[in-house]
Amino acid sequence: MVIISLIVHLTSFVSCARMGSPDGGWYDDTPPRVVSSSPVEHGTNVKNKRVTIHFNEYIKIEDVQNKVIVSPPQMEMPEIKATSKRIVINLQDTLKSNTTYTIDFSDAITDNNEGNPMGNYTFSFSTGSEIDTLQVSGYVLDASNLEPVKGMLVGLYEDSTFADSTFHTIPMMRISRTNGSGQFIIKGVAPGRYRIRALNDADGDFIHAQKSEVIAFSDEIIEPSAFADTRKDTLWTDSLHINNIVTTGFTHFLPDQISLLAFQALQTDRYLIKTERKQPEKIGLFFSYGHDSLPNIRGLNFEADSAFVIEPSLKNDTIFYWLRDTTLVNQDTLRFEATYMMTDTTGVLVEKTDTIEALAKVPYAKRLKEQLKEYEKWKKEQDKKKKHDEPYDTVMRKPSLQVKISASSSMSPDQNVYFEMPVPLSVCLADSVHLYSKIDTLWYRTPFVFEQTAPRQYVLKAEWRPGVEYSLEVDSAAFQSIYGIVSKPIKQGLKVKKEDEFSTLIINLAHQPDSGEVIIQMLDTSDKVLRQTIAKQGSAEFYFVKPAKYYVRAFIDYNGNGIWDTGDYDAGQQAEPVYYYHEAIECKAKWDVSRNWDFNERPRFKQKPMAITKQKPDQEKQLRNRNAQRAAEKGIPAPPSGEN
């Protein structure tokens, strides 16, 4: 009896241990299933605004506000709750007659235990005697870089009543929302002709009411249709072996590859954002948008004429005023009037005058105290040296001007050397800058051009020869700031790489656009532009390319300004078109790499390589990944989808 009792206890212990699964087991990846609903799914002549959907297991619903879309759009947010094995939807708006309603849950519904998403589930019913079942689908991409745009509203308007202004005044009639791939599916569409628009709806009114909203539009007429089609599905014996390939019938809805390119219109309203004086010698004015003319400054407690060195940004939207006089630098508060062009409430540029107080972030008394501390420290050091009969200074030396030079010890033949000054200069002695090249064992003067490119920036250009060693030398006091601070002598060695250390990349285009220039951009693995050039006679060439993996992007520069320009809905103007070469290009030393490129070979949503796409697709099958990870940890194949 004792032995039997011991066996029973051991069996019970083993059973409990197995139930606990300390090693981890396969997750249940079976999604919830609808068992009934009220009204019935696809029901007609529905008058009740309450919808109840019953499932075969306990469920939960995630991120209702962003994932669940009711169409036609509801002006008052529906009440959607998940309890136990059901979801209850209470529509707040009055039901429209003879209208198909769709409640698109996307992947918001999951089971309560493992979080298995149900997939793209949509419940529909009609208030009339017929239900509309057509669909239109496609993708919304960022017009500037073809990134999928998640969470954009995409909607239809009837073509017969549509005008361009409709987008500003009337809510969309049927809507969907894009997923992580930028894909949208508008369901419950009736036969007819439609216009399509996309909107990042900032205020929830389903219309393009704010200029700052990101939008997309197409001038094409949408005519939905459907036909019986087939596809081939693969059945797996396990994760490595195919059991069978079967042909499955389905209803194919068209159009299904609409491409909408989203952009934000240029924000041209001009106003003063802020004024700051983080450094006592520099006042900054920050505007929302630039203007051809700079502000007129009139000093109220100082003489503003010739008081500044002005440093505007490229677009004149940020302007720095460097104070020339140290007396003004030491003045804690500078009051002045700034007269500039500002956009009024009607959208017209008018002259505006503001009275501004520029307060130094660090008061002069505090700065003086810090200077005294530095002097006392220096004095102690000199007294100590004097006491030990060591060389010492009788006058505290001024700090030298810190010149930043953007040149590495190893450079490409197509690079230039840039000098950046911490403050504007009063003296720049170009003849104190020297460049020498080493031929055999001797150094020779090398011709170069040294010129100013901005208030604090200079460039040194030379004919850099591959494989040659150079010496850049700058005499002492070659540069002097407006505050009398001078630079120290500079000596920096430069070595230009040999030609066989580089690659050449050539992009041959299948066709040139009818208008505009094609600008080809070479990108790194983070989608950042490294270099760009204009395609000439259907070809773009990049010389002296460092061996690495690159990606290539192009855009059509219609206005010839050398930069990508956004669109304007009210002007009927799309953003300048952008294209991506579909895969990485490996450039190797000593190799000439060539690629032929047809912009229209692939639809836009299939062009950007996934490796540099930041917006990744939604994981509708999260469980598969978890099971695959569990399999990898155990060193065994994961079970095929649907197995426990």
Side-chain angles (χ1 to χ4, degrees):
M1 291 295 292
V2 173
I3 295 174
I4 293 173
S5 176
L6 180 61
I7 292 172
V8 169
H9 283 297
L10 286 172
T11 304
S12 174
F13 175 79
V14 171
S15 176
C16 291
R18 290 182 62 191
M19 289 176 66
S21 300
D23 286 338
W26 302 119
Y27 289 95
D28 171 21
D29 65 354
T30 304
R33 178 170 50 86
V34 175
V35 294
S36 65
S37 65
S38 175
V40 296
E41 194 163 352
H42 306 304
T44 56
N45 296 312
V46 174
K47 307 302 179 187
N48 194 347
K49 295 194 291 183
R50 181 185 177 93
V51 175
T52 305
I53 307 172
H54 299 272
F55 296 84
N56 65 331
E57 59 179 310
Y58 290 97
I59 53 91
K60 57 185 177 181
I61 186 166
E62 301 174 343
D63 198 7
V64 171
Q65 188 170 354
N66 292 315
K67 287 191 174 184
V68 182
I69 291 289
V70 179
S71 196
Q74 304 294 288
M75 294 299 106
E76 189 173 348
M77 182 66 67
E79 183 184 273
I80 302 175
K81 292 183 178 179
T83 56
S84 184
K85 297 182 180 181
R86 68 177 184 175
I87 291 177
V88 178
I89 304 102
N90 287 306
L91 301 178
Q92 306 299 318
D93 290 1
T94 302
L95 294 180
K96 299 179 181 180
S97 60
N98 298 315
T99 300
T100 295
Y101 279 77
T102 57
I103 306 171
D104 188 347
F105 291 93
S106 182
D107 61 350
I109 301 172
T110 64
D111 67 28
N112 197 50
N113 294 322
E114 301 290 359
N116 297 313
M118 188 174 177
N120 291 319
Y121 174 62
T122 302
F123 183 91
S124 61
F125 65 88
S126 175
T127 58
S129 58
E130 295 182 356
I131 190 165
D132 300 319
T133 58
L134 293 177
Q135 301 177 10
V136 298
S137 60
Y139 297 82
V140 178
L141 309 174
D142 187 322
S144 67
N145 57 16
L146 301 194
E147 278 284 317
V149 183
K150 183 178 181 179
M152 283 277 283
L153 285 179
V154 186
L156 298 177
Y157 291 95
E158 287 186 350
D159 178 55
S160 60
T161 58
F162 184 82
D164 289 339
S165 60
T166 304
F167 193 25
H168 292 302
T169 56
I170 300 176
M172 305 167 178
M173 57 175 293
R174 302 213 66 80
I175 59 172
S176 176
R177 197 187 296 274
T178 57
N179 61 18
S181 299
Q183 186 182 34
F184 64 88
I185 304 174
I186 304 175
K187 301 179 180 180
V189 182
R193 291 163 58 89
Y194 299 93
R195 297 295 186 107
I196 191 166
R197 297 291 183 267
L199 171 67
N200 185 4
D201 195 13
D203 46 14
D205 57 5
F206 303 100
I207 62 175
H208 180 27
Q210 300 183 31
K211 190 177 180 180
S212 60
E213 290 174 326
V214 176
I215 61 103
F217 71 98
S218 171
D219 291 327
E220 295 183 11
I221 305 296
I222 305 297
E223 295 189 69
S225 62
F227 65 95
D229 202 351
T230 60
R231 64 170 177 259
K232 295 186 181 299
D233 293 333
T234 302
L235 302 180
W236 295 82
T237 302
D238 53 37
S239 61
L240 300 176
H241 302 91
I242 296 175
N243 179 32
N244 194 11
I245 297 177
V246 298
T247 301
T248 305
F250 73 102
T251 302
H252 195 147
F253 296 99
L254 293 175
D256 60 353
Q257 291 191 1
I258 300 170
S259 288
L260 296 174
L261 299 170
F263 62 86
Q264 184 183 48
L266 195 61
Q267 304 303 295
T268 57
D269 288 350
R270 191 170 196 260
Y271 53 89
L272 181 62
I273 299 173
K274 65 176 180 177
T275 304
E276 67 179 22
R277 191 182 171 194
K278 290 183 177 180
Q279 299 169 246
E281 66 271 18
K282 182 173 68 171
I283 300 171
L285 300 185
F286 298 84
F287 292 90
S288 60
Y289 192 73
H291 192 265
D292 293 340
S293 62
L294 297 179
N296 181 47
I297 304 298
R298 187 175 75 87
L300 298 179
N301 65 345
F302 68 100
E303 181 55 56
D305 293 342
S306 303
F308 306 111
V309 173
I310 303 175
E311 182 183 4
S313 64
L314 187 64
K315 297 181 179 179
N316 281 355
D317 53 359
T318 300
I319 307 162
F320 291 114
Y321 295 84
W322 294 86
L323 296 165
R324 295 178 183 272
D325 191 345
T326 53
T327 303
L328 295 181
V329 174
N330 295 335
Q331 190 170 323
D332 286 342
T333 303
L334 295 175
R335 297 180 63 249
F336 59 91
E337 286 183 348
T339 302
Y340 57 91
M341 300 304 292
M342 184 197 77
T343 308
D344 67 8
T345 55
T346 64
V348 176
L349 280 172
V350 297
E351 197 172 81
K352 171 78 181 301
T353 298
D354 283 337
T355 299
I356 296 170
E357 283 194 353
L359 277 69
K361 186 175 182 181
V362 180
Y364 175 64
K366 187 174 182 180
R367 284 180 273 142
L368 184 59
K369 189 175 180 180
E370 292 296 324
Q371 291 173 8
L372 289 173
K373 283 184 179 179
E374 288 294 321
Y375 175 77
E376 290 171 1
K377 181 180 178 183
W378 170 84
K379 186 72 167 55
K380 286 181 180 180
E381 290 175 353
Q382 303 313 308
D383 289 344
K384 185 177 180 181
K385 289 179 180 180
K386 184 178 180 180
K387 183 177 180 180
H388 292 87
D389 292 328
E390 297 177 1
Y392 65 93
D393 296 325
T394 57
V395 179
M396 186 175 180
R397 296 178 183 178
K398 291 183 178 180
S400 59
L401 188 70
Q402 300 299 311
V403 181
K404 183 179 178 181
I405 300 179
S406 64
S408 61
S409 57
S410 180
M411 55 188 292
S412 304
D414 59 346
Q415 285 183 289
N416 291 315
V417 179
Y418 292 91
F419 293 68
E420 183 178 342
M421 308 300 167
V423 298
L425 301 182
S426 60
V427 175
C428 177
L429 303 176
D431 55 1
S432 294
V433 180
H434 314 283
L435 184 66
Y436 303 94
S437 59
K438 187 177 183 181
I439 301 176
D440 294 328
T441 58
L442 300 177
W443 291 92
Y444 296 89
R445 285 188 175 274
T446 299
F448 63 91
V449 174
F450 187 80
E451 58 189 11
Q452 187 174 11
T453 58
R456 294 185 296 113
Q457 292 182 344
Y458 300 79
V459 62
L460 185 149
K461 299 177 181 178
E463 187 179 344
W464 307 104
R465 288 175 291 172
V468 175
E469 187 177 347
Y470 293 85
S471 178
L472 172 62
E473 300 177 16
V474 182
D475 298 338
S476 177
F479 309 120
Q480 179 176 311
S481 77
I482 56 177
Y483 308 118
I485 307 298
V486 298
S487 59
K488 296 188 298 185
I490 300 170
K491 185 173 182 178
Q492 182 168 341
L494 307 172
K495 179 67 181 292
V496 180
K497 291 182 178 180
K498 297 178 181 178
E499 286 192 51
D500 60 9
E501 296 183 65
F502 297 99
S503 177
T504 299
L505 175 60
I506 301 172
I507 304 295
N508 298 311
L509 304 181
H511 60 271
Q512 286 279 109
D514 295 333
S515 62
E517 295 177 327
V518 180
I519 293 185
I520 308 294
Q521 297 175 323
M522 192 170 71
L523 315 172
D524 65 11
T525 53
S526 62
D527 203 26
K528 178 183 177 182
V529 177
L530 299 175
R531 295 162 65 178
Q532 73 177 37
T533 188
I534 300 173
K536 301 292 186 182
Q537 297 179 340
S539 180
E541 300 173 343
F542 295 94
Y543 297 103
F544 304 115
V545 177
K546 293 179 181 179
K549 182 186 292 185
Y550 299 97
Y551 295 87
V552 175
R553 177 171 70 201
F555 71 90
I556 312 301
D557 185 20
Y558 285 127
N559 59 8
N561 64 354
I563 60 174
W564 177 84
D565 289 295
T566 189
D568 186 335
Y569 176 78
D570 292 326
Q573 179 180 311
Q574 295 280 2
E576 290 180 333
V578 172
Y579 306 91
Y580 273 78
Y581 189 71
H582 66 279
E583 62 184 4
I585 301 176
E586 186 78 28
C587 291
K588 299 180 180 180
K590 302 181 183 180
W591 282 47
D592 289 345
V593 180
S594 178
R595 292 289 186 274
N596 298 322
W597 190 9
D598 182 352
F599 291 160
N600 301 316
E601 183 180 3
R602 295 166 180 261
R604 214 72 73 88
F605 66 88
K606 289 185 177 180
Q607 289 188 5
K608 188 168 188 176
M610 185 57 66
I612 57 173
T613 299
K614 295 178 177 61
Q615 174 59 58
K616 303 299 183 183
D618 292 330
Q619 279 298 108
E620 294 182 358
K621 290 292 183 182
Q622 302 168 5
L623 187 59
R624 284 188 195 172
N625 291 342
R626 287 184 288 173
N627 280 346
Q629 183 178 2
R630 180 64 58 82
E633 292 170 355
K634 290 177 172 288
I636 59 175
S641 176
E643 289 189 9
N644 296 328

